[in-house]
PDB file of all heavy atoms in Angstrom:
ATOM      1  N   GLN A1185      74.904  -8.146  13.118  1.00  0.00           N
ATOM      2  CA  GLN A1185      73.449  -8.072  13.301  1.00  0.00           C
ATOM      3  C   GLN A1185      73.133  -8.394  14.761  1.00  0.00           C
ATOM      4  O   GLN A1185      73.659  -9.357  15.323  1.00  0.00           O
ATOM      5  CB  GLN A1185      72.755  -9.097  12.402  1.00  0.00           C
ATOM      6  CG  GLN A1185      72.990  -8.877  10.925  1.00  0.00           C
ATOM      7  CD  GLN A1185      71.959  -7.958  10.314  1.00  0.00           C
ATOM      8  OE1 GLN A1185      70.857  -7.831  10.819  1.00  0.00           O
ATOM      9  NE2 GLN A1185      72.315  -7.307   9.225  1.00  0.00           N
ATOM     10  N   THR A1186      72.278  -7.598  15.352  1.00  0.00           N
ATOM     11  CA  THR A1186      71.875  -7.847  16.733  1.00  0.00           C
ATOM     12  C   THR A1186      71.006  -9.107  16.798  1.00  0.00           C
ATOM     13  O   THR A1186      70.137  -9.320  15.952  1.00  0.00           O
ATOM     14  CB  THR A1186      71.082  -6.649  17.265  1.00  0.00           C
ATOM     15  OG1 THR A1186      71.906  -5.488  17.142  1.00  0.00           O
ATOM     16  CG2 THR A1186      70.707  -6.834  18.714  1.00  0.00           C
ATOM     17  N   THR A1187      71.248  -9.952  17.789  1.00  0.00           N
ATOM     18  CA  THR A1187      70.435 -11.160  17.961  1.00  0.00           C
ATOM     19  C   THR A1187      69.684 -11.158  19.292  1.00  0.00           C
ATOM     20  O   THR A1187      68.950 -12.100  19.576  1.00  0.00           O
ATOM     21  CB  THR A1187      71.309 -12.418  17.894  1.00  0.00           C
ATOM     22  OG1 THR A1187      72.343 -12.312  18.885  1.00  0.00           O
ATOM     23  CG2 THR A1187      71.948 -12.563  16.516  1.00  0.00           C
ATOM     24  N   LEU A1188      69.872 -10.124  20.110  1.00  0.00           N
ATOM     25  CA  LEU A1188      69.187 -10.065  21.398  1.00  0.00           C
ATOM     26  C   LEU A1188      68.799  -8.616  21.690  1.00  0.00           C
ATOM     27  O   LEU A1188      69.640  -7.720  21.644  1.00  0.00           O
ATOM     28  CB  LEU A1188      70.106 -10.595  22.512  1.00  0.00           C
ATOM     29  CG  LEU A1188      69.591 -10.440  23.947  1.00  0.00           C
ATOM     30  CD1 LEU A1188      68.373 -11.314  24.181  1.00  0.00           C
ATOM     31  CD2 LEU A1188      70.682 -10.767  24.952  1.00  0.00           C
ATOM     32  N   LEU A1189      67.523  -8.408  21.975  1.00  0.00           N
ATOM     33  CA  LEU A1189      67.024  -7.092  22.382  1.00  0.00           C
ATOM     34  C   LEU A1189      66.409  -7.241  23.771  1.00  0.00           C
ATOM     35  O   LEU A1189      65.831  -8.287  24.081  1.00  0.00           O
ATOM     36  CB  LEU A1189      65.965  -6.580  21.400  1.00  0.00           C
ATOM     37  CG  LEU A1189      66.419  -6.392  19.945  1.00  0.00           C
ATOM     38  CD1 LEU A1189      65.203  -6.179  19.042  1.00  0.00           C
ATOM     39  CD2 LEU A1189      67.379  -5.210  19.825  1.00  0.00           C
ATOM     40  N   GLN A1190      66.504  -6.193  24.604  1.00  0.00           N
ATOM     41  CA  GLN A1190      66.071  -6.331  25.989  1.00  0.00           C
ATOM     42  C   GLN A1190      65.200  -5.156  26.420  1.00  0.00           C
ATOM     43  O   GLN A1190      65.312  -4.064  25.886  1.00  0.00           O
ATOM     44  CB  GLN A1190      67.287  -6.419  26.918  1.00  0.00           C
ATOM     45  CG  GLN A1190      68.239  -7.547  26.541  1.00  0.00           C
ATOM     46  CD  GLN A1190      69.345  -7.729  27.547  1.00  0.00           C
ATOM     47  OE1 GLN A1190      69.084  -8.096  28.689  1.00  0.00           O
ATOM     48  NE2 GLN A1190      70.564  -7.461  27.154  1.00  0.00           N
ATOM     49  N   TYR A1191      64.337  -5.446  27.394  1.00  0.00           N
ATOM     50  CA  TYR A1191      63.492  -4.413  27.977  1.00  0.00           C
ATOM     51  C   TYR A1191      63.247  -4.767  29.436  1.00  0.00           C
ATOM     52  O   TYR A1191      62.992  -5.934  29.762  1.00  0.00           O
ATOM     53  CB  TYR A1191      62.148  -4.335  27.233  1.00  0.00           C
ATOM     54  CG  TYR A1191      61.138  -3.391  27.856  1.00  0.00           C
ATOM     55  CD1 TYR A1191      61.253  -2.017  27.721  1.00  0.00           C
ATOM     56  CD2 TYR A1191      60.058  -3.891  28.599  1.00  0.00           C
ATOM     57  CE1 TYR A1191      60.326  -1.156  28.294  1.00  0.00           C
ATOM     58  CE2 TYR A1191      59.122  -3.037  29.170  1.00  0.00           C
ATOM     59  CZ  TYR A1191      59.264  -1.671  29.014  1.00  0.00           C
ATOM     60  OH  TYR A1191      58.340  -0.825  29.581  1.00  0.00           O
ATOM     61  N   GLU A1192      63.337  -3.775  30.301  1.00  0.00           N
ATOM     62  CA  GLU A1192      63.014  -3.965  31.722  1.00  0.00           C
ATOM     63  C   GLU A1192      61.723  -3.221  32.010  1.00  0.00           C
ATOM     64  O   GLU A1192      61.663  -1.985  31.871  1.00  0.00           O
ATOM     65  CB  GLU A1192      64.133  -3.437  32.612  1.00  0.00           C
ATOM     66  CG  GLU A1192      65.351  -4.340  32.686  1.00  0.00           C
ATOM     67  CD  GLU A1192      65.081  -5.659  33.393  1.00  0.00           C
ATOM     68  OE1 GLU A1192      64.377  -5.648  34.423  1.00  0.00           O
ATOM     69  OE2 GLU A1192      65.549  -6.696  32.906  1.00  0.00           O
ATOM     70  N   ALA A1193      60.683  -3.952  32.407  1.00  0.00           N
ATOM     71  CA  ALA A1193      59.394  -3.334  32.725  1.00  0.00           C
ATOM     72  C   ALA A1193      59.409  -2.850  34.175  1.00  0.00           C
ATOM     73  O   ALA A1193      60.188  -3.360  35.000  1.00  0.00           O
ATOM     74  CB  ALA A1193      58.258  -4.338  32.514  1.00  0.00           C
ATOM     75  N   PRO A1194      58.552  -1.899  34.518  1.00  0.00           N
ATOM     76  CA  PRO A1194      58.481  -1.440  35.912  1.00  0.00           C
ATOM     77  C   PRO A1194      57.711  -2.397  36.813  1.00  0.00           C
ATOM     78  O   PRO A1194      57.605  -2.156  38.012  1.00  0.00           O
ATOM     79  CB  PRO A1194      57.759  -0.087  35.796  1.00  0.00           C
ATOM     80  CG  PRO A1194      56.982  -0.165  34.526  1.00  0.00           C
ATOM     81  CD  PRO A1194      57.729  -1.082  33.614  1.00  0.00           C
ATOM     82  N   TRP A1195      57.167  -3.471  36.261  1.00  0.00           N
ATOM     83  CA  TRP A1195      56.362  -4.414  37.033  1.00  0.00           C
ATOM     84  C   TRP A1195      56.527  -5.814  36.442  1.00  0.00           C
ATOM     85  O   TRP A1195      57.006  -5.972  35.320  1.00  0.00           O
ATOM     86  CB  TRP A1195      54.872  -4.030  37.033  1.00  0.00           C
ATOM     87  CG  TRP A1195      54.425  -3.097  35.931  1.00  0.00           C
ATOM     88  CD1 TRP A1195      54.137  -1.767  36.053  1.00  0.00           C
ATOM     89  CD2 TRP A1195      54.193  -3.408  34.540  1.00  0.00           C
ATOM     90  NE1 TRP A1195      53.749  -1.236  34.837  1.00  0.00           N
ATOM     91  CE2 TRP A1195      53.769  -2.229  33.900  1.00  0.00           C
ATOM     92  CE3 TRP A1195      54.315  -4.562  33.772  1.00  0.00           C
ATOM     93  CZ2 TRP A1195      53.474  -2.160  32.529  1.00  0.00           C
ATOM     94  CZ3 TRP A1195      54.019  -4.507  32.408  1.00  0.00           C
ATOM     95  CH2 TRP A1195      53.606  -3.314  31.804  1.00  0.00           C
ATOM     96  N   PRO A1196      56.169  -6.864  37.198  1.00  0.00           N
ATOM     97  CA  PRO A1196      56.237  -8.230  36.652  1.00  0.00           C
ATOM     98  C   PRO A1196      55.312  -8.367  35.440  1.00  0.00           C
ATOM     99  O   PRO A1196      54.160  -7.930  35.474  1.00  0.00           O
ATOM    100  CB  PRO A1196      55.764  -9.121  37.807  1.00  0.00           C
ATOM    101  CG  PRO A1196      55.892  -8.279  39.032  1.00  0.00           C
ATOM    102  CD  PRO A1196      55.714  -6.860  38.606  1.00  0.00           C
ATOM    103  N   VAL A1197      55.832  -8.970  34.377  1.00  0.00           N
ATOM    104  CA  VAL A1197      55.079  -9.099  33.122  1.00  0.00           C
ATOM    105  C   VAL A1197      54.446 -10.480  33.050  1.00  0.00           C
ATOM    106  O   VAL A1197      55.077 -11.492  33.366  1.00  0.00           O
ATOM    107  CB  VAL A1197      56.011  -8.893  31.906  1.00  0.00           C
ATOM    108  CG1 VAL A1197      55.258  -9.129  30.606  1.00  0.00           C
ATOM    109  CG2 VAL A1197      56.614  -7.501  31.937  1.00  0.00           C
ATOM    110  N   HIS A1198      53.180 -10.523  32.663  1.00  0.00           N
ATOM    111  CA  HIS A1198      52.548 -11.816  32.398  1.00  0.00           C
ATOM    112  C   HIS A1198      52.129 -11.927  30.937  1.00  0.00           C
ATOM    113  O   HIS A1198      52.766 -12.595  30.138  1.00  0.00           O
ATOM    114  CB  HIS A1198      51.353 -12.071  33.314  1.00  0.00           C
ATOM    115  CG  HIS A1198      50.594 -13.308  32.939  1.00  0.00           C
ATOM    116  ND1 HIS A1198      51.194 -14.551  32.909  1.00  0.00           N
ATOM    117  CD2 HIS A1198      49.316 -13.501  32.527  1.00  0.00           C
ATOM    118  CE1 HIS A1198      50.304 -15.458  32.515  1.00  0.00           C
ATOM    119  NE2 HIS A1198      49.163 -14.846  32.275  1.00  0.00           N
ATOM    120  N   ALA A1199      51.050 -11.263  30.549  1.00  0.00           N
ATOM    121  CA  ALA A1199      50.577 -11.359  29.165  1.00  0.00           C
ATOM    122  C   ALA A1199      51.523 -10.600  28.238  1.00  0.00           C
ATOM    123  O   ALA A1199      52.087  -9.567  28.597  1.00  0.00           O
ATOM    124  CB  ALA A1199      49.159 -10.804  29.060  1.00  0.00           C
ATOM    125  N   LEU A1200      51.672 -11.135  27.015  1.00  0.00           N
ATOM    126  CA  LEU A1200      52.691 -10.635  26.104  1.00  0.00           C
ATOM    127  C   LEU A1200      52.305 -11.022  24.684  1.00  0.00           C
ATOM    128  O   LEU A1200      51.884 -12.148  24.446  1.00  0.00           O
ATOM    129  CB  LEU A1200      54.020 -11.296  26.504  1.00  0.00           C
ATOM    130  CG  LEU A1200      55.232 -11.287  25.592  1.00  0.00           C
ATOM    131  CD1 LEU A1200      55.900  -9.921  25.666  1.00  0.00           C
ATOM    132  CD2 LEU A1200      56.218 -12.358  26.039  1.00  0.00           C
ATOM    133  N   ASP A1201      52.436 -10.084  23.731  1.00  0.00           N
ATOM    134  CA  ASP A1201      52.198 -10.433  22.325  1.00  0.00           C
ATOM    135  C   ASP A1201      53.020  -9.516  21.432  1.00  0.00           C
ATOM    136  O   ASP A1201      53.255  -8.349  21.765  1.00  0.00           O
ATOM    137  CB  ASP A1201      50.710 -10.325  21.966  1.00  0.00           C
ATOM    138  CG  ASP A1201      50.376 -11.053  20.650  1.00  0.00           C
ATOM    139  OD1 ASP A1201      51.086 -12.022  20.309  1.00  0.00           O
ATOM    140  OD2 ASP A1201      49.409 -10.652  19.978  1.00  0.00           O
ATOM    141  N   TRP A1202      53.446 -10.052  20.301  1.00  0.00           N
ATOM    142  CA  TRP A1202      54.204  -9.295  19.301  1.00  0.00           C
ATOM    143  C   TRP A1202      53.222  -8.818  18.239  1.00  0.00           C
ATOM    144  O   TRP A1202      52.335  -9.580  17.834  1.00  0.00           O
ATOM    145  CB  TRP A1202      55.261 -10.198  18.671  1.00  0.00           C
ATOM    146  CG  TRP A1202      56.374  -9.477  17.975  1.00  0.00           C
ATOM    147  CD1 TRP A1202      56.272  -8.693  16.863  1.00  0.00           C
ATOM    148  CD2 TRP A1202      57.762  -9.481  18.335  1.00  0.00           C
ATOM    149  NE1 TRP A1202      57.502  -8.206  16.513  1.00  0.00           N
ATOM    150  CE2 TRP A1202      58.440  -8.666  17.398  1.00  0.00           C
ATOM    151  CE3 TRP A1202      58.488 -10.093  19.360  1.00  0.00           C
ATOM    152  CZ2 TRP A1202      59.823  -8.465  17.454  1.00  0.00           C
ATOM    153  CZ3 TRP A1202      59.860  -9.886  19.410  1.00  0.00           C
ATOM    154  CH2 TRP A1202      60.517  -9.078  18.461  1.00  0.00           C
ATOM    155  N   CYS A1203      53.370  -7.577  17.789  1.00  0.00           N
ATOM    156  CA  CYS A1203      52.428  -7.057  16.787  1.00  0.00           C
ATOM    157  C   CYS A1203      52.483  -7.915  15.522  1.00  0.00           C
ATOM    158  O   CYS A1203      53.542  -8.385  15.113  1.00  0.00           O
ATOM    159  CB  CYS A1203      52.702  -5.594  16.478  1.00  0.00           C
ATOM    160  SG  CYS A1203      54.254  -5.276  15.637  1.00  0.00           S
ATOM    161  N   LYS A1204      51.309  -8.107  14.907  1.00  0.00           N
ATOM    162  CA  LYS A1204      51.202  -9.017  13.762  1.00  0.00           C
ATOM    163  C   LYS A1204      51.496  -8.330  12.425  1.00  0.00           C
ATOM    164  O   LYS A1204      51.634  -8.988  11.403  1.00  0.00           O
ATOM    165  CB  LYS A1204      49.793  -9.612  13.694  1.00  0.00           C
ATOM    166  CG  LYS A1204      49.266 -10.171  15.010  1.00  0.00           C
ATOM    167  CD  LYS A1204      49.955 -11.457  15.383  1.00  0.00           C
ATOM    168  CE  LYS A1204      49.201 -12.241  16.438  1.00  0.00           C
ATOM    169  NZ  LYS A1204      49.016 -11.541  17.707  1.00  0.00           N
ATOM    170  N   SER A1205      51.496  -6.993  12.413  1.00  0.00           N
ATOM    171  CA  SER A1205      51.729  -6.266  11.161  1.00  0.00           C
ATOM    172  C   SER A1205      52.324  -4.907  11.517  1.00  0.00           C
ATOM    173  O   SER A1205      52.264  -4.458  12.660  1.00  0.00           O
ATOM    174  CB  SER A1205      50.421  -6.098  10.375  1.00  0.00           C
ATOM    175  OG  SER A1205      49.384  -5.616  11.211  1.00  0.00           O
ATOM    176  N   THR A1206      52.896  -4.260  10.498  1.00  0.00           N
ATOM    177  CA  THR A1206      53.494  -2.952  10.737  1.00  0.00           C
ATOM    178  C   THR A1206      52.400  -1.913  10.923  1.00  0.00           C
ATOM    179  O   THR A1206      51.243  -2.127  10.573  1.00  0.00           O
ATOM    180  CB  THR A1206      54.391  -2.553   9.558  1.00  0.00           C
ATOM    181  OG1 THR A1206      53.631  -2.691   8.347  1.00  0.00           O
ATOM    182  CG2 THR A1206      55.618  -3.442   9.467  1.00  0.00           C
ATOM    183  N   ALA A1207      52.786  -0.777  11.472  1.00  0.00           N
ATOM    184  CA  ALA A1207      51.818   0.285  11.741  1.00  0.00           C
ATOM    185  C   ALA A1207      51.306   0.872  10.428  1.00  0.00           C
ATOM    186  O   ALA A1207      52.029   0.895   9.429  1.00  0.00           O
ATOM    187  CB  ALA A1207      52.482   1.379  12.579  1.00  0.00           C
ATOM    188  N   PRO A1208      50.059   1.318  10.394  1.00  0.00           N
ATOM    189  CA  PRO A1208      49.525   1.930   9.176  1.00  0.00           C
ATOM    190  C   PRO A1208      50.411   3.086   8.717  1.00  0.00           C
ATOM    191  O   PRO A1208      50.751   3.967   9.506  1.00  0.00           O
ATOM    192  CB  PRO A1208      48.135   2.437   9.608  1.00  0.00           C
ATOM    193  CG  PRO A1208      47.780   1.619  10.807  1.00  0.00           C
ATOM    194  CD  PRO A1208      49.073   1.303  11.490  1.00  0.00           C
TER     195      PRO A1208
END
Side-chain angles (χ1 to χ4, degrees):
Q1185 298 271 336
T1186 303
T1187 56
L1188 173 67
L1189 299 168
Q1190 304 187 65
Y1191 174 76
E1192 284 293 319
W1195 20 255
V1197 176
H1198 173 59
L1200 165 78
D1201 196 28
W1202 199 295
C1203 67
K1204 312 288 197 300
S1205 48
T1206 52

